[in-house]
Amino acid sequence: MKAILIAGALSLLITLIGTRFAISVLVKQGYGQLIRDDGPTSHHTKRGTPTMGGLVVIIAVVIGYFVAKLATQTAPSASALLLLFLFVGLGAIGFLDDFIKVSKQRNLGLRSKAKLIGQTVVGLIFAVLAIGWEDDAGRTPITHYFSFTRDFDSWRLPTILLVLWVLVLVAGASNGVNLTDGLDGLATGAAMMVFGAYVFINIWQSNQNCATNPGIKCYEVRDPLDLAVVAAALTGACFGFLWWNASPAKIFMGDTGSLSLGGAMAGFALMTRTELLLVIIGGLFVAITMSVILQVGWFKISGGKRIFRMAPLQHHFELLGWAEITIVVRFWIISGLCVATGLGIFYSEWVTGV
């Protein structure tokens, strides 16, 4: 528990202080956000706002976790190291995308194909290691089963299908956060709630873990308490970054932050056996992603017609005349309700055993 508090507090402090320093450095280097001409016209005032702020979040999480382990004199677990690898690896892809944009002063960074290849390589390495890294009891960080609040024992996947499922979940979650990151503080605040939920989920799974507290309703999850340390570091880092990212944003997280945060969500879902529950906990990200899929699909099927004035969904409401801060706060409320619903389902499953 001490490690959880240290990781969360230190990550928050690093992003609070470090982001202010990063803003100064990025402004001096001229690494400002480029704005798409086909986006909402109100966004043109954001042109030149420093981006790549997600780099501070990544650094804060990594430092927060390892300092917490040093302070408590405990060794890092396989699950936490793999999750951090996924988090940092996807962040590196996002950083490359952001750097190309700002250095070449163009809206297009990495090509979609190149970005997908990068996500696939990182996800593939993560999947292979997570499937095969056994502990003394033969448990691995992720299993061959689909899961909701725990594994469905009758839904065992062959290794090749499991790897494909991991890749789909990683790509879906990382791109979902990326699509949500379009208004000041929107993705940061929603991600903070999701990671906060995983702090509680991991602590609960640690208290009811089959390795230390065997019983009918125990959880077969590896290293849950150490995963809670990572979740706390992510929550604290998002909280600190939000201080500077809230409207009017002094810095944007960029793809560096959105891809890494989305990857971490997928990692938590896989390792805590809550893969399908993530659809509820991260309901806001799912809704925004679906708005893009529906818009593009209907546009092609109908021969040019649109469901929304603009996708992703948050821009539709902008074009309806909603103020940006109004959209963000209301979407935060929706995200909070999704998180509360997900946690309620998770706990009720344990209570009722259904």
Side-chain angles (χ1 to χ4, degrees), residues 12 25 37 57 74 82 103 110 113 123 157 162 176-177 195-196 204 206 217 254 267 291 306:
L12 188 153
V25 172
D37 292 331
V57 175
T74 53
L82 285 171
S103 62
L110 285 174
K113 185 176 180 180
L157 295 173
L162 174 61
V177 178
F195 292 127
W204 184 259
S206 176
K217 296 180 180 179
S291 72
R306 292 177 170 84

Side-chain angles (χ1 to χ4, degrees), residues 59-321:
I59 292 171
V61 170
V62 173
I63 292 177
Y65 172 77
F66 283 106
V67 169
K69 302 306 291 182
L70 285 172
T72 55
Q73 297 183 346
T74 53
S77 68
S79 298
L81 291 176
L82 285 171
L83 185 56
L84 288 173
F85 165 77
L86 183 62
F87 173 65
V88 175
L90 290 175
I93 295 168
F95 177 79
L96 183 59
D97 184 47
D98 287 333
F99 185 77
I100 292 173
K101 289 177 184 176
V102 297
S103 62
K104 296 186 178 296
Q105 289 296 295
R106 68 185 195 195
N107 286 325
L108 181 64
L110 285 174
R111 302 283 179 180
S112 298
K113 185 176 180 180
K115 188 183 294 187
L116 183 59
I117 290 173
Q119 290 173 309
T120 300
V121 170
V122 173
L124 185 61
I125 295 172
F126 167 79
V128 170
L129 292 175
I131 293 169
W133 197 337
E134 295 185 352
D135 62 8
D136 295 336
R139 293 180 303 173
T140 54
I142 64 176
T143 66
H144 283 75
Y145 300 95
F146 278 123
S147 61
F148 183 51
T149 57
R150 61 180 75 236
D151 283 340
F152 296 117
D153 293 337
S154 59
W155 290 19
R156 193 180 195 284
L157 295 173
T159 300
I160 185 65
L161 290 182
L162 174 61
V163 171
L164 290 174
W165 169 240
V166 172
L167 295 179
V168 167
L169 200 58
V170 168
S174 58
N175 289 322
V177 178
N178 185 244
L179 290 171
T180 304
D181 186 31
L183 301 182
D184 295 353
L186 177 57
T188 307
M192 180 180 67
M193 297 180 206
V194 172
F195 292 127
Y198 275 110
V199 173
F200 290 106
I201 287 174
N202 280 297
I203 290 175
W204 184 259
Q205 289 180 332
S206 176
N207 292 337
Q208 309 297 332
N209 195 262
C210 295
T212 56
N213 190 22
I216 296 175
K217 296 180 180 179
C218 66
Y219 295 94
E220 283 285 359
V221 175
R222 182 174 171 181
D223 312 314
L225 196 60
D226 209 29
L227 287 174
V229 177
V230 181
L234 281 158
T235 305
C238 288
F239 211 117
F241 186 75
L242 186 59
W243 180 271
W244 303 103
N245 186 230
S247 183
K250 301 295 188 297
I251 189 171
F252 301 134
M253 69 166 68
D255 284 12
T256 308
S258 59
L259 293 184
S260 61
L261 294 178
M265 290 180 195
F268 276 116
L270 288 160
M271 292 182 174
T272 59
R273 321 296 192 249
T274 57
E275 296 157 12
L276 299 181
L277 187 65
L278 180 62
V279 175
I280 298 173
I281 293 176
L284 177 66
F285 300 107
V286 174
I288 288 174
T289 302
M290 288 304 300
S291 72
V292 176
I293 294 173
L294 290 172
Q295 182 86 324
V296 173
W298 182 247
F299 186 85
K300 292 180 178 179
I301 293 173
S302 65
K305 294 182 180 180
R306 292 177 170 84
I307 299 174
F308 308 103
R309 294 194 176 189
M310 182 178 290
L313 187 61
Q314 61 270 30
H315 299 321
H316 168 76
F317 288 102
E318 280 191 288
L319 294 184
L320 288 179

